Amino acid sequence: MAETNAANRAGMAAVRSATDDTAFTLQSKLLGEARIIFDVGGHLGQTSERYAQMFPEAEIHYFEPQEKARQQAREKLSDANVIINDCALAATPGEAKFNINAFAATSSLQDTHPNAGENWPAVALRRREEILVPVSTVDAYCRDHDIAAIDILKIDVQGHEYRVLQGAAEMLGKHAIQLIYFEYIHCETYVAQTDLTQYFSLLDGFGYQLVSIFNLVQGEQGLNQCDILFQCGRR
């Protein structure tokens, strides 16, 4: 059984690490330079590290509620201009239950869907621990830290991405965010996931347009997940 679980976790890791570098190349081309970057769901710091290499003058705000992940990220990012935050971001501030799953990268504020095992290795999304974590919003954090604009808002929070965008309504309404790069999970993975049409409706309402889609992961029943890039005012 242990060998099977290890194989499943390895399979999940392989799927998630098979990423397309053109997503970052395009972001660099679109911006040229960046001053403020949010890495929401920073996990082990891989994306913050990449942004620090791409934009060495940028100030990166990393958000991750998992202590073990933050410890590894802190070591990885010790030489970078990164502010480590121990909170989650969502639609409203406060506290929330956070599920730590067997494969830590799948941990989420949202519960695992009963049918998740039909789309991913079931053991990977099995909850190991439930903790209470502090929650803020993009808007509240920006007010508290006197941040007037964000160049890149990257969100990878396992099915909770839409709520993070809801919590950024003030910044989105002011067109104070240039690029939004987020993971979208299409197949049944978490309870109360948001449909893709809702993302498009929300962002279109604030004047954001689709740039491109990356890292498509196909399952037996169609699309499992992908990463999506939006830009403010792109026509």
Side-chain angles (χ1 to χ4, degrees):
M1 182 67 174
E3 291 182 1
T4 301
N5 289 350
N8 283 340
R9 287 194 294 272
M12 188 76 172
V15 167
R16 293 181 55 82
S17 64
T19 56
D20 184 351
D21 194 59
T22 58
F24 293 100
T25 302
L26 182 54
Q27 290 173 63
S28 179
K29 181 179 179 180
L30 290 171
L31 288 178
E33 60 182 26
R35 297 177 299 278
I36 300 291
I37 298 171
F38 277 28
D39 183 3
V40 185
H43 195 47
L44 303 181
Q46 306 98 314
T47 303
S48 285
E49 182 179 41
R50 182 62 191 274
Y51 281 136
Q53 294 168 350
M54 291 167 54
F55 304 107
E57 302 301 317
E59 180 178 88
I60 301 171
H61 297 256
Y62 158 106
F63 302 85
E64 175 56 57
Q66 296 185 78
E67 183 179 358
K68 290 183 179 179
R70 286 198 310 275
Q71 290 175 348
Q72 294 186 55
R74 189 173 282 109
E75 294 176 5
K76 182 189 294 289
L77 303 169
S78 60
D79 295 328
N81 185 20
V82 178
I83 297 170
I84 303 289
N85 293 282
D86 65 357
C87 63
L89 295 187
T92 56
E95 289 185 324
K97 179 192 73 173
F98 186 82
N99 301 303
I100 297 180
N101 295 335
F103 184 60
T106 71
S107 300
S108 176
L109 287 168
Q110 295 182 214
D111 294 333
T112 297
H113 195 283
N115 298 333
E118 298 178 8
N119 301 299
W120 307 102
V123 67
L125 286 135
R126 186 175 300 156
R127 184 171 62 197
R128 289 193 297 104
E129 184 182 0
E130 181 182 301
I131 61 175
L132 194 65
V133 301
V135 178
S136 186
T137 68
V138 171
D139 288 338
Y141 185 89
C142 288
R143 287 194 297 269
D144 292 343
H145 294 80
D146 295 320
I147 295 174
I150 301 169
D151 293 291
I152 301 172
L153 173 59
K154 170 264 175 181
I155 317 170
D156 182 354
V157 289
Q158 300 305 296
H160 214 72
E161 289 78 7
Y162 187 81
R163 280 78 169 180
V164 176
L165 291 171
Q166 287 179 312
E170 183 179 331
M171 294 291 284
L172 291 170
K174 296 188 295 187
H175 293 169
I177 304 172
Q178 288 302 307
L179 297 181
I180 303 169
Y181 181 52
F182 65 94
E183 179 183 78
Y184 166 68
I185 301 177
H186 185 69
C187 65
E188 292 180 329
T189 304
Y190 300 98
V191 173
Q193 288 175 203
T194 304
D195 186 77
L196 184 59
T197 58
Q198 293 178 260
Y199 285 96
F200 275 83
S201 178
L202 176 71
L203 292 172
D204 180 69
F206 285 115
Y208 285 77
Q209 286 78 44
L210 174 69
V211 177
S212 194
I213 299 175
F214 307 91
N215 306 321
L216 277 76
V217 177
Q218 299 288 352
E220 293 183 1
Q221 303 178 56
L223 178 66
N224 275 16
Q225 69 177 45
C226 61
D227 297 329
I228 305 179
L229 180 64
F230 276 78
Q231 183 178 26
C232 179
R234 185 176 174 88
R235 299 294 178 187

